[in-house]
Amino acid sequence: MCGIVGYVGAEDCAPFLIAGLKRLEYRGYDSAGVALVGESGLEVLRSRGKLSNLESLVLRKAPKGTLGIGHTRWATHGRPSDENAHPHSFRGVAVVHNGIIENHLELREELRRAGHTFASETDTEIFAHLIAEEVEGGHDLLQATRRALRRVRGTYALAVVSETDPHTLVAAKNASPLVVGFGQGENYLASDVPALLDRTREVMFLEEGDLVRLRQDSVELFDGDGQTIARQPRHIDWTPVMAEKGGHKHFMHKEIHEQARALVDTIRSRTALETGDVVLDGVGIDEALAKSLARVTIVACGTSYHAGLVGKHYLESLAKLPVEIDVASEFRYRDPLVPPGSLCIAISQSGETADTLAAMREAKAKGARTLAVCNVVGSAIARDAEDVLYTHAGPEIGVASTKAFTTQLAAMLLLALKLGRLRGTLDADRAGKLLQDLRGAPALIEKILAREDSILAAARTYSSARDMLFLGRGLQAPVALEGALKLKEISYVHAEGYPAGEMKHGPIALIDEQVPVVVIATRDPGRGHGQDTYEKIVGNIEEVRARGGKIIALVTDGDDLVSRLADHALWVPPASAFIAPLLNVLPLQLFAYHVADHRGTDVDQPRNLAKSVTVE
Ligand code: F6R
């Protein structure tokens, strides 16, 4: 996934495609490519690494065509390489694609049996084969694309060209963004507005299920059944900087709002509800190995460490594996014990964090099998680990980690379910139920995002505080730590997170009218897994109130008790205990964001922090 551009018109479009891709460079990518359709047919040029590599190739080969598509890739399936770079082509059809195809292995197998051979490791290449088959069967490009899409499950922003139709660009959207630009005697396509801004400000954002056919003088929009849709273009006055952020004020805000999509991409292709089975591509742990495991050691830093703390609950509860977790910088220097049968899980968004890499290597040197939970394909930690479970959050640009965290939680839950099933500690019914809950999480996330105004109001009320405490229990204790980390790193308000039971052992001394306390007091409607700590957290709220402290509480919809006790209630839809951390972190991310924004800090690049900490 990453950047898409497309052009259909009268000019030789290679320079437009390259310029458009350059405007999407800020999103990060590992390879790039273009496909042009001209008099001599389809020409595809691709190159690993910087866009300048592709640019030199384009200058050298000078491809010609008034129809074209371009892509910057951020690897999801298959390592960064020339072969895996988009566009992918087959028999005169070329495609670029953002998103993830869930049933690509199944389709690949089917096509292979029918005699197809594949040139890449990507899920995207499937599209080129499926669409080319339909084109060869006599369908026009629009019909061919629609028919191919019927066979595919997953998320996509897709753009297609074919040398059989040198004046038509077809595109389709499901979950990943795509926008059409309207020109004079030419039309454009892009995944993001910045690619279009110097040509047009008349745009149309595609909606779920839309298919669009672009020609030099027309843009036609269709639904999945082929019915025409009438929708007016809109004028946008975004500056280039606003456009990069998709109209959001900051990347962090945009990324918070991308979490439902990111979760769908991380979860969907890996789960089978009926059987309770989890398929983890890249993880080669079989039943015998799972049963031989005696212990798990998790190493990570910062936000990823907090995801590890939640992961410990998941693994202990579902796979009945003892888990120790360490901040990576501590693990590597304490001569840790790594008994036989150890699995070391390194969690890292960037996959480049020096301490996490060193800790994982230390565990490996002492005999542990290593597994990376990572967001960047081909990163150092992913390369070094024996097994890799990729989160599919997509590029995270804001320094503060948001969508990486929620996808890490989902990945850890999937892993715990997988190990639980393999080890025989989890029956299919319970696994199926948990998978169902997990698959319901993206819709609940959308509900929370729709309540942003009330979170903003709370943030404004408390934005002048000097110190804040965040409290939670059980699975919500790590979320409290994460809420405090988010607040301190971007707003510079001093914040501490604690398991609420620790209050009496020290932090309670800090409570007075000046110290707002954020309490995660949500309730599992099914009373969780026998560890319901709801009454205890209500007790903690009372303790704070008795000392004059102000309470901002995360409250489950319909819970009058906690909402009455709180000065500010942030409502969250009901969810089971295992899913609640994925939801509860959202109001805390938004709270931190709005406090910081109100205080006028540099939200995306807070002082003294770097996105990827490659030194100790
Ligand atoms: C917090 C944050 C950092 C990172 C930490 C680990 O918002 O971004 O705490 O979580 O530096 O980074 P990764 O996950 O890339 O190893």
Side-chain angles (χ1 to χ4, degrees), residues 216-374:
Q216 187 177 354
D217 298 310
S218 65
V219 172
E220 300 161 278
L221 192 61
F222 304 90
D223 66 15
D225 298 323
Q227 301 301 316
T228 316
I229 307 174
R231 194 179 304 144
Q232 289 307 309
R234 62 182 259 208
H235 181 82
I236 45 162
D237 337 289
W238 298 351
T239 62
V241 173
M242 279 165 77
E244 285 189 350
K245 294 167 189 153
H248 294 263
K249 191 169 173 190
H250 296 98
F251 283 113
M252 181 184 177
H253 193 256
K254 175 171 181 269
E255 286 158 7
I256 289 173
H257 281 259
E258 285 171 353
Q259 289 179 100
R261 195 275 309 146
L263 272 185
V264 169
D265 279 344
T266 301
I267 300 164
R268 281 248 305 254
S269 59
R270 293 165 164 163
T271 54
L273 292 185
E274 317 70 44
T275 53
D277 280 343
V278 173
V279 181
L280 298 181
D281 42 316
V283 177
I285 300 177
D286 59 12
E287 188 177 330
L289 183 56
K291 284 188 169 152
S292 74
L293 291 177
R295 173 149 97 163
V296 171
T297 299
I298 300 177
V299 291
C301 303
T303 290
S304 297
Y305 172 74
H306 297 152
L309 289 170
V310 178
K312 171 180 162 77
H313 281 256
Y314 290 158
L315 286 163
E316 291 188 337
S317 227
L318 303 175
K320 303 294 175 218
L321 270 165
V323 180
E324 66 158 10
I325 168 158
D326 243 314
V327 167
S329 53
E330 288 297 309
F331 181 84
R332 63 187 290 198
Y333 290 118
R334 73 170 166 81
D335 194 16
L337 299 177
V338 181
S342 286
L343 172 70
C344 172
I345 303 177
I347 307 178
S348 174
Q349 185 287 128
S350 61
E352 301 292 345
T353 302
D355 282 323
T356 308
L357 179 60
M360 188 181 80
R361 284 182 174 158
E362 172 79 15
K364 193 176 192 170
K366 292 190 160 174
R369 185 176 175 104
T370 52
L371 184 152
V373 174
C374 215

Side-chain angles (χ1 to χ4, degrees), residues 14-76:
F16 169 81
L17 297 177
I18 297 287
L21 292 178
K22 276 192 183 157
R23 289 203 184 81
L24 301 180
E25 262 191 305
Y26 69 94
R27 298 166 54 82
Y29 61 98
D30 52 57
S31 53
V34 291
L36 284 97
V37 180
E39 274 165 18
S40 50
L42 175 73
E43 240 179 304
V44 180
L45 300 175
R46 304 177 296 177
S47 180
R48 188 185 166 171
K50 288 284 144 204
L51 211 45
S52 52
N53 300 346
L54 177 68
E55 204 174 0
S56 319
L57 195 63
V58 166
L59 282 175
R60 227 175 33 250
K61 303 255 177 172
K64 295 268 174 272
T66 55
L67 169 68
I69 49 179
H71 191 259
T72 43
R73 175 172 190 251
W74 199 80
T76 55

